[in-house]
Structures are given as structure tokens and as C-alpha cells.
């Protein structure tokens, strides 16, 4: 049976990490290795994580200081023993209990190296209210050159491909996921499959969606694109343009949500 490693990086997320873990444990796929990497949280995150660790629900838990999320993710990948590796951040949770089964089915039926899908950004306080509806769409290499990227937390990759193509560049504090995807989708010849289903719900207010980080996001994205031989600013602007339909769709959903209340 295909083994799936899921990695959650956590730092001071005692209010949400429990729901994240529960959504993994609720998956109907039987062979999941769940790894949690905590950055020495100063709140009660480890108390929450510890309850699941003590019950034997978590395969591996590490809690120690780190230099940010991408270092934590790389630690988790190096510990992973699954055939397929994916991420679930500590503010996020799976869309339903069939997500991993559906992902494994696509890998096995197509021989894909990388599979991705869709996700919903939701209000942090009301997770039924959709703020952005990210429908990734089909992969084409030329689209990456025009700023398109799939939703990073929906990306699942064969572990042997990770070993061959490399991990996250820890010199980036925000844009490492974009750098990672450009490397994998533009600079490597991989078999990529799009599964047109929702994988995750993600609370707004994370590292790349908080208003205080916008300047840093811009600077890191431009630097990242230039490092791959792109112009930089045009690709960043086009990347932003791909997101406009997400907000339009979310406004329609919000109106429908409010009308039902």
C-alpha cells in the first residue's frame, strides 16, 4: 500500500492545532505517517500536541527552536518515510475525510510525480465563511512563466522526487513555497496531475496573507522570480492577477452565506 507522510509545522497555534490534527486522524486512508514539527512554542501548543502523541496518533513529534516555517518543513521532510509527502499547516484542516484517499488514487492511476488541487481561504473566526476560493486549474508550464502557481498546501509529491529536486530554500522567509513550486513546475520535467477537488480550508491571517507582511511578500517574490531568470516585477504583478477571480467568487459566496443567515 502507498504510504503518505503528512507534515505539520507549528508555532504558537494552541487555538487551531487540535483541529488540524483531528482532520488528519479523520482521514479514511489507512496508511498515513503524521509528523508534527513544533518550533518550541511558548503557548499551550505542545500540551495539545502531547495529548495526541501520548495516544500514539502521531508518528513523530519534534519540538525545538528553529529559524522559521521552512526550516521546520525541511526537518519534517527529512524524517518522512512515506512514498508521497504533503503539508498541512497548523491553521488549516482537510476539506473532508476522503482527501488523502483521492490523492493516492490519482498518484496510483496516473503515475504522477506531483498532484495538486483546490482550497478555500476562510475567515479565522467563522470557518464557514469563504474569503477566497482558490481553484488552481490545469497545469501548463508556460503559465508558470506568467505568474501562475497552484495552491501550495494542496501540493503532494513523491518522496523520491523531493530527494532528486531539493527541499525548501530557507533563505526565504515568505516566498520559499513559490520558489519551490517554480523549481518543480518550471525547471524540472515532472509528470504533474491536477485533481479538481478541494483539499483544504485555510484560515486567513497566516504568514503570506497578513497585511503587515505585504511589503516583504512583494520584495521576496520579486527576488525569487529574478533568481530563476525572470524579470521579477512583471511576474509578480501577473501572479497577483491570477488571484482576482478568487476574490470575486468569494464575494458571491459571502452574499449567499449572508442571505442564508
Amino acid at each position: 500500500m502507498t504510504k503518505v507522510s503528512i507534515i505539520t509545522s507549528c508555532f504558537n497555534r494552541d487555538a487551531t492545532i487540535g483541529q488540524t490534527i483531528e482532520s488528519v486522524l479523520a482521514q479514511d486512508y489507512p496508511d498515513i505517517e503524521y509528523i508534527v514539527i513544533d518550533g518550541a512554542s511558548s503557548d499551550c501548543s505542545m500540551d495539545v500536541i502531547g495529548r495526541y502523541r501520548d495516544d500514539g496518533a502521531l508518528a513523530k513529534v519534534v519540538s525545538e527552536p528553529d529559524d522559521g516555517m521552512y526550516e521546520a518543513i525541511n526537518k519534517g521532510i527529512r524524517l518522512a518515510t512515506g512514498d508521497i509527502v504533503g503539508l498541512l499547516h497548523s491553521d488549516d484542516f482537510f476539506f473532508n475525510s476522503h482527501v488523502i484517499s483521492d490523492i493516492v488514487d490519482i498518484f496510483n492511476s496516473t503515475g504522477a510525480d506531483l498532484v495538486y488541487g483546490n482550497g478555500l481561504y476562510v475567515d479565522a473566526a467563522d470557518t464557514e465563511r469563504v474569503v477566497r476560493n482558490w481553484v488552481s486549474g490545469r497545469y501548463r508550464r508556460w503559465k508558470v512563466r506568467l505568474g501562475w502557481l497552484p495552491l501550495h498546501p494542496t501540493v503532494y509529491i513523491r518522496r523520491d522526487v523531493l530527494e532528486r529536486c531539493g527541499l525548501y530554500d530557507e533563505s526565504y522567509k515568505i516566498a520559499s513555497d513559490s520558489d519551490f513550486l517554480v523549481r518543480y513546475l518550471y525547471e524540472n520535467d515532472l509528470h504533474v496531475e491536477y485533481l479538481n477537488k478541494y483539499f483544504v480550508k485555510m484560515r486567513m491571517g497566516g504568514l503570506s496573507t497578513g497585511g503587515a507582511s505585504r511589503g516583504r511578500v512583494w520584495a521576496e517574490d520579486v527576488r525569487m522570480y529574478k533568481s530563476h531568470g525572470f524579470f521579477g516585477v512583471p511576474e509578480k504583478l501577473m501572479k497577483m492577477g491570477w488571484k482576482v477571480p478568487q476574490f470575486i467568487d468569494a464575494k458571491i459566496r459571502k452574499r449567499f452565506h449572508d442571505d442564508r443567515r
Side-chain angles (χ1 to χ4, degrees):
M1 175 176 284
T2 302
K3 182 178 181 180
V4 180
S5 296
I6 298 173
I7 299 162
T8 293
S9 62
C10 175
F11 182 69
N12 289 345
R13 289 294 184 267
D14 58 3
T16 59
I17 185 63
Q19 185 181 23
T20 302
I21 294 172
E22 288 287 348
S23 77
V24 176
L25 302 184
Q27 292 298 299
D28 60 13
Y29 190 75
D31 197 359
I32 294 176
E33 174 188 57
Y34 191 24
I35 300 169
V36 178
I37 309 295
D38 177 75
S41 291
S42 58
D43 65 357
C44 295
S45 293
M46 278 307 300
D47 293 335
V48 178
I49 295 166
R51 292 198 293 268
Y52 295 97
R53 177 181 57 189
D54 294 344
D55 290 342
L58 308 180
K60 297 168 185 174
V61 175
V62 174
S63 182
E64 60 187 18
D66 58 43
D67 195 30
M69 178 176 66
Y70 299 115
E71 180 183 349
I73 292 171
N74 282 342
K75 286 181 186 178
I77 293 173
R78 293 185 182 104
L79 290 172
T81 63
D83 305 291
I84 297 165
V85 178
L87 309 177
L88 186 67
H89 297 321
S90 54
D91 281 334
D92 305 346
F93 52 98
F94 283 123
F95 185 78
N96 59 39
S97 62
H98 314 302
V99 170
I100 299 302
S101 292
D102 291 340
I103 290 169
V104 172
D105 285 345
I106 291 295
F107 271 103
N108 289 341
S109 64
T110 66
D113 296 313
L114 184 154
V115 171
Y116 68 94
N118 308 324
L120 296 171
Y121 280 99
V122 297
D123 183 83
D126 178 6
T127 57
E128 293 302 311
R129 187 171 79 83
V130 176
V131 180
R132 284 169 61 186
N133 177 25
W134 193 315
V135 176
S136 292
R138 294 183 64 184
Y139 164 71
R140 293 290 184 268
R141 183 174 179 270
W142 60 264
K143 290 167 66 175
V144 179
R145 190 66 177 83
L146 298 180
W148 174 91
L149 291 172
L151 181 58
H152 175 245
T154 71
V155 173
Y156 286 72
I157 305 172
R158 291 194 182 275
R159 185 163 55 88
D160 61 335
V161 175
L162 283 164
E163 292 170 351
R164 184 172 79 246
C165 297
L167 305 187
Y168 290 82
D169 184 344
E170 296 172 22
S171 71
Y172 295 105
K173 301 307 176 187
I174 298 171
S176 189
D177 51 356
S178 295
D179 170 75
F180 180 90
L181 292 174
V182 170
R183 281 192 284 120
Y184 275 65
L185 298 174
Y186 192 77
E187 296 179 349
N188 286 278
D189 184 20
L190 302 181
H191 179 172
V192 178
E193 290 286 341
Y194 168 50
L195 178 58
N196 189 15
K197 293 184 177 183
Y198 289 101
F199 290 8
V200 292
K201 286 188 173 183
M202 301 158 289
R203 289 177 175 84
M204 288 293 287
L207 190 61
S208 63
T209 58
S213 297
R214 287 173 185 164
R216 291 181 61 196
V217 171
W218 175 275
E220 284 209 0
D221 272 353
V222 170
R223 176 165 71 89
M224 178 275 296
Y225 278 121
K226 287 183 176 180
S227 76
H228 293 284
F230 298 174
F231 292 107
V233 172
E235 289 81 11
K236 172 60 178 176
L237 290 171
M238 288 186 286
K239 181 183 179 185
M240 295 168 65
W242 286 100
K243 299 176 182 179
V244 172
Q246 301 168 17
F247 289 101
I248 294 173
D249 181 87
K251 284 185 177 296
I252 296 171
R253 287 170 176 263
K254 180 180 183 300
R255 183 174 299 173
F256 178 73
H257 178 265
D258 291 345
D259 288 346
R260 293 180 61 189
R261 300 181 72 174

